mmCIF file of all heavy atoms in Angstrom:
data_model
loop_
_atom_site.group_PDB
_atom_site.id
_atom_site.type_symbol
_atom_site.label_atom_id
_atom_site.label_comp_id
_atom_site.label_asym_id
_atom_site.label_seq_id
_atom_site.Cartn_x
_atom_site.Cartn_y
_atom_site.Cartn_z
ATOM 1 N N ALA A 85 -3.508 -4.774 -11.485
ATOM 2 C CA ALA A 85 -4.665 -5.089 -10.662
ATOM 3 C C ALA A 85 -4.293 -5.882 -9.433
ATOM 4 O O ALA A 85 -4.791 -5.706 -8.291
ATOM 5 C CB ALA A 85 -5.733 -5.819 -11.484
ATOM 6 N N GLN A 86 -3.406 -6.919 -9.673
ATOM 7 C CA GLN A 86 -2.916 -7.677 -8.494
ATOM 8 C C GLN A 86 -2.156 -6.860 -7.556
ATOM 9 O O GLN A 86 -2.334 -7.055 -6.332
ATOM 10 C CB GLN A 86 -2.154 -8.919 -9.047
ATOM 11 C CG GLN A 86 -2.889 -9.861 -9.898
ATOM 12 C CD GLN A 86 -2.023 -10.877 -10.579
ATOM 13 O OE1 GLN A 86 -1.037 -10.476 -11.246
ATOM 14 N NE2 GLN A 86 -2.361 -12.147 -10.496
ATOM 15 N N LEU A 87 -1.289 -6.051 -7.987
ATOM 16 C CA LEU A 87 -0.449 -5.230 -7.125
ATOM 17 C C LEU A 87 -1.459 -4.241 -6.258
ATOM 18 O O LEU A 87 -1.229 -4.198 -5.072
ATOM 19 C CB LEU A 87 0.543 -4.298 -7.913
ATOM 20 C CG LEU A 87 1.676 -5.090 -8.607
ATOM 21 C CD1 LEU A 87 2.368 -4.149 -9.552
ATOM 22 C CD2 LEU A 87 2.593 -5.726 -7.533
ATOM 23 N N ARG A 88 -2.417 -3.715 -6.949
ATOM 24 C CA ARG A 88 -3.352 -2.823 -6.216
ATOM 25 C C ARG A 88 -4.105 -3.637 -5.178
ATOM 26 O O ARG A 88 -4.260 -3.169 -4.026
ATOM 27 C CB ARG A 88 -4.316 -2.229 -7.246
ATOM 28 C CG ARG A 88 -5.265 -1.201 -6.646
ATOM 29 C CD ARG A 88 -6.173 -0.547 -7.646
ATOM 30 N NE ARG A 88 -5.472 0.275 -8.620
ATOM 31 C CZ ARG A 88 -5.268 -0.166 -9.905
ATOM 32 N NH1 ARG A 88 -5.794 -1.181 -10.391
ATOM 33 N NH2 ARG A 88 -4.591 0.674 -10.664
ATOM 34 N N GLY A 89 -4.595 -4.766 -5.492
ATOM 35 C CA GLY A 89 -5.267 -5.596 -4.612
ATOM 36 C C GLY A 89 -4.432 -5.992 -3.390
ATOM 37 O O GLY A 89 -4.946 -6.046 -2.259
ATOM 38 N N ILE A 90 -3.193 -6.384 -3.603
ATOM 39 C CA ILE A 90 -2.324 -6.695 -2.526
ATOM 40 C C ILE A 90 -2.155 -5.526 -1.539
ATOM 41 O O ILE A 90 -2.119 -5.648 -0.313
ATOM 42 C CB ILE A 90 -0.968 -7.243 -3.032
ATOM 43 C CG1 ILE A 90 -1.172 -8.537 -3.763
ATOM 44 C CG2 ILE A 90 0.091 -7.331 -1.923
ATOM 45 C CD1 ILE A 90 0.039 -8.995 -4.630
ATOM 46 N N LEU A 91 -2.025 -4.305 -2.076
ATOM 47 C CA LEU A 91 -1.790 -3.139 -1.251
ATOM 48 C C LEU A 91 -3.124 -2.822 -0.503
ATOM 49 O O LEU A 91 -3.126 -2.463 0.671
ATOM 50 C CB LEU A 91 -1.400 -1.985 -2.083
ATOM 51 C CG LEU A 91 0.062 -1.989 -2.601
ATOM 52 C CD1 LEU A 91 0.371 -0.875 -3.630
ATOM 53 C CD2 LEU A 91 1.020 -1.795 -1.442
ATOM 54 N N VAL A 92 -4.284 -2.867 -1.172
ATOM 55 C CA VAL A 92 -5.517 -2.535 -0.545
ATOM 56 C C VAL A 92 -5.759 -3.470 0.587
ATOM 57 O O VAL A 92 -6.131 -3.003 1.715
ATOM 58 C CB VAL A 92 -6.705 -2.565 -1.622
ATOM 59 C CG1 VAL A 92 -8.041 -2.543 -0.896
ATOM 60 C CG2 VAL A 92 -6.530 -1.396 -2.638
ATOM 61 N N ASN A 93 -5.737 -4.767 0.363
ATOM 62 C CA ASN A 93 -6.015 -5.739 1.421
ATOM 63 C C ASN A 93 -5.287 -7.025 1.047
ATOM 64 O O ASN A 93 -5.869 -7.880 0.419
ATOM 65 C CB ASN A 93 -7.498 -5.981 1.587
ATOM 66 C CG ASN A 93 -7.774 -6.864 2.834
ATOM 67 O OD1 ASN A 93 -6.790 -7.463 3.445
ATOM 68 N ND2 ASN A 93 -8.956 -7.023 3.187
ATOM 69 N N SER A 94 -4.030 -7.116 1.473
ATOM 70 C CA SER A 94 -3.192 -8.372 1.186
ATOM 71 C C SER A 94 -3.864 -9.675 1.528
ATOM 72 O O SER A 94 -3.515 -10.717 1.018
ATOM 73 C CB SER A 94 -1.877 -8.153 1.798
ATOM 74 O OG SER A 94 -2.047 -7.980 3.176
ATOM 75 N N LYS A 95 -4.730 -9.612 2.584
ATOM 76 C CA LYS A 95 -5.325 -10.870 3.079
ATOM 77 C C LYS A 95 -6.248 -11.511 2.073
ATOM 78 O O LYS A 95 -6.522 -12.634 2.022
ATOM 79 C CB LYS A 95 -6.135 -10.572 4.325
ATOM 80 C CG LYS A 95 -5.294 -10.570 5.579
ATOM 81 C CD LYS A 95 -4.573 -9.275 5.754
ATOM 82 C CE LYS A 95 -3.891 -9.166 7.121
ATOM 83 N NZ LYS A 95 -2.751 -8.231 7.058
ATOM 84 N N ARG A 96 -6.766 -10.747 1.022
ATOM 85 C CA ARG A 96 -7.580 -11.254 -0.030
ATOM 86 C C ARG A 96 -6.731 -12.151 -0.917
ATOM 87 O O ARG A 96 -7.298 -13.209 -1.420
ATOM 88 C CB ARG A 96 -8.202 -10.137 -0.837
ATOM 89 C CG ARG A 96 -9.179 -9.259 -0.098
ATOM 90 C CD ARG A 96 -10.570 -9.921 -0.014
ATOM 91 N NE ARG A 96 -11.517 -9.040 0.601
ATOM 92 C CZ ARG A 96 -12.692 -8.762 0.022
ATOM 93 N NH1 ARG A 96 -13.073 -9.337 -1.114
ATOM 94 N NH2 ARG A 96 -13.529 -7.950 0.539
#
Side-chain angles (χ1 to χ4, degrees):
Q86 291 168 314
L87 292 169
R88 184 178 297 109
I90 292 167
L91 288 168
V92 169
N93 187 351
S94 55
K95 278 77 171 154
R96 296 278 187 131

